[in-house]
Amino acid sequence: DRSPSRGLGDVYKRQFLLCISSSLYGEEGYAFRELYEIQVELKGTDRASINEGMKLAFQNLMLTLSSNSEINTYPAVTKAVKDSEKYISEYRLSSEDDSILAIFSFNGEEVRKLLSENSLPLWIGIKPKVLLFLPCKSESFLIVDEEEILIKRQESCSEIKSKINSRGTKRNIVFIEPVLDLIDLKYLNLYEPRSDQDFLNKISSRYGLEDWMICYIQNEYGLLITEPFCLSPISDFKRISLNDMIDTLADELSKDFQLNIDPNVKSELRISVSGVVEHKDLLNVERIMETNALVYAYSIGSISSDTVTYSLSIRGQVSDLEKLMNVNPLLTNQPSQENGIDLEYFYQAER
């Protein structure tokens, strides 16, 4: 049963798993976290400011966990945002310089259930990689007569890089910049801006990347502009703002790393997990089953040697569960060799 009665042993088990969850689940295990901690800045320490920050934090979490720009416009999510306190396990306040900060800890199981039960996209924790090219960095190879112009350009370049990193983190994209070594530079002609597209097509292949983005801080006359613009094949080479470009990339590239579950589809299956040697391994594997967004009921079928077999009732197809389980950093998918077993995994414990 998904919700067995909880005795003192269950309390100890929960405390133990809370301690290990953050160390075991890296970025690729984002879809399995016990808690999601989101930090936001508050206007004050009064209840109204805290509630406002709570809603903002919840919206930020929904954006990251779904990897969908429109997620906060869906009725189920807008309703949940108004009642965001329901999803919070705890929060704490702190101050930094003149800012009041709040860190809200959201219950991972509950927020994932919100998405899966409403057939909304759930990001499975794999970040697409995109080649990023900033001409303002490569142009530093050029000789500039006026040092003041060079300094302003370098400041603007650092600022746009910081903004890209910040937005990329929120939208689950990893940006990779070329090292601009001699091999890169032979493709690059700094005096012919129209060659950028050809250069990026060639250099992205060198880095094993299919997608790229280029952002400019200067116009065609070499003057610094107030709002940087970017372009990419994903945007059909249209010049759009930095944030809009990253959102466009995230929405398009994350489609391969999202689950959209039809809550009306239910499946039954048997899954076996080997490599379960110690009692704590069994607790960890059980917690994986218990907190999976698609599993609404489970039971242990058998335990033999180092292998545990479970019977699962899930929302969606078996392939949906497999896609989600395959990105868990603690599990390795194994070819199914036993009759009556739908999925087999090997549990990789840190010894």
Side-chain angles (χ1 to χ4, degrees):
D1 186 353
R2 181 66 182 266
S3 303
S5 58
R6 297 186 182 276
L8 186 58
D10 293 310
V11 174
Y12 286 140
K13 180 177 74 173
R14 182 173 177 81
Q15 290 175 340
F16 168 75
L17 288 162
L18 276 169
C19 292
I20 66 170
S21 61
S22 60
S23 61
L24 289 179
Y25 296 152
E27 201 64 62
E28 68 274 28
Y30 194 82
F32 301 91
R33 289 190 182 176
E34 181 92 14
L35 297 172
Y36 295 107
E37 290 193 341
I38 306 295
Q39 177 177 289
V40 295
E41 185 175 343
L42 302 182
K43 295 178 181 178
T45 56
D46 57 287
R47 188 63 194 175
S49 296
I50 293 174
N51 285 340
E52 195 64 29
M54 194 179 295
K55 294 176 182 178
L56 176 60
F58 191 77
Q59 290 175 324
N60 289 344
L61 174 59
M62 287 292 99
L63 183 62
T64 300
L65 192 56
S66 69
S67 203
N68 183 302
S69 295
E70 304 299 320
I71 192 66
N72 286 303
T73 65
Y74 289 94
V77 176
T78 55
K79 180 181 178 181
V81 168
K82 295 176 182 177
D83 193 25
S84 52
E85 189 170 0
K86 167 187 173 183
Y87 298 91
I88 289 180
S89 298
E90 63 176 19
Y91 71 88
R92 56 187 184 275
L93 305 181
S94 64
S95 61
E96 185 176 301
D97 297 326
D98 295 328
S99 301
I100 301 171
L101 304 176
I103 297 178
F104 296 96
S105 299
F106 293 90
N107 184 302
E109 186 176 354
E110 290 299 319
V111 294
R112 291 191 294 269
K113 188 187 298 183
L114 168 67
L115 295 175
S116 64
E117 288 185 348
N118 289 281
S119 196
L120 297 174
L122 172 65
W123 177 58
I124 63 175
I126 298 176
K127 292 186 175 185
K129 296 178 175 63
V130 175
L131 183 79
L132 168 66
F133 182 56
L134 300 176
C136 58
K137 294 184 72 173
S138 64
E139 286 168 2
S140 61
F141 289 103
L142 294 174
I143 298 175
V144 179
D145 292 330
E146 296 186 36
E147 185 177 355
E148 183 179 349
I149 295 177
L150 178 59
I151 292 174
K152 284 184 178 179
R153 190 169 62 195
Q154 288 174 335
E155 290 175 348
S156 297
C157 202
S158 296
E159 185 178 344
I160 189 176
K161 177 66 189 305
S162 177
K163 289 180 178 178
I164 289 172
N165 285 340
S166 177
R167 189 68 180 177
T169 298
K170 180 177 284 189
R171 294 309 319 272
N172 306 322
I173 293 181
V174 175
F175 287 105
I176 298 174
E177 292 186 83
V179 294
L180 295 179
D181 57 11
L182 292 177
I183 298 176
D184 288 345
L185 292 175
K186 78 176 183 180
Y187 296 123
L188 179 62
N189 188 337
L190 297 171
Y191 300 97
E192 295 183 12
R194 282 178 291 182
S195 69
D196 284 344
Q197 181 179 336
D198 181 55
F199 160 67
L200 288 167
N201 285 334
K202 290 178 180 177
I203 203 173
S204 58
S205 297
R206 182 195 175 197
Y207 288 86
L209 301 172
E210 295 183 2
D211 304 288
W212 55 261
M213 177 178 85
I214 183 170
C215 296
Y216 300 89
I217 63 170
Q218 295 169 280
N219 61 20
E220 59 269 31
Y221 304 108
L223 300 176
L224 292 175
I225 53 180
T226 305
E227 288 295 329
F229 64 87
C230 307
L231 58 85
S232 167
I234 296 291
S235 68
D236 295 323
F237 303 104
K238 294 177 182 176
R239 296 184 173 190
I240 58 179
S241 70
L242 186 153
N243 282 351
D244 286 347
M245 175 58 75
I246 294 177
D247 285 346
T248 299
L249 283 168
D251 288 344
E252 184 63 30
L253 301 181
S254 293
K255 289 178 181 177
D256 290 335
F257 309 120
Q258 291 173 327
L259 285 177
N260 286 83
I261 306 301
D262 183 347
N264 296 316
V265 175
K266 304 291 176 61
S267 302
E268 305 285 332
L269 72 146
R270 295 183 69 209
I271 180 173
S272 71
V273 182
S274 57
V276 183
V277 179
E278 301 177 8
H279 181 61
K280 67 178 182 179
D281 298 338
L282 180 60
L283 295 181
N284 290 343
V285 172
E286 185 174 342
R287 190 59 181 161
I288 289 172
M289 304 300 169
E290 189 177 66
T291 60
N292 191 292
L294 306 188
V295 177
Y296 64 86
Y298 74 94
S299 61
I300 294 179
S302 64
I303 300 177
S304 60
S305 184
D306 69 341
T307 301
V308 185
T309 301
Y310 291 89
S311 295
L312 304 181
S313 299
I314 66 170
R315 302 178 188 88
Q317 306 282 353
V318 173
S319 58
D320 295 325
L321 179 69
E322 184 175 18
K323 188 175 182 180
L324 190 56
M325 297 287 275
N326 285 353
V327 297
N328 191 311
L330 301 180
L331 300 175
T332 301
N333 198 343
Q334 305 288 310
S336 185
Q337 299 178 350
E338 187 178 340
N339 291 333
I341 299 297
D342 299 283
L343 297 174
E344 289 189 24
Y345 289 90
F346 176 76
Y347 174 72
Q348 305 178 86
E350 293 184 354
R351 303 300 181 189

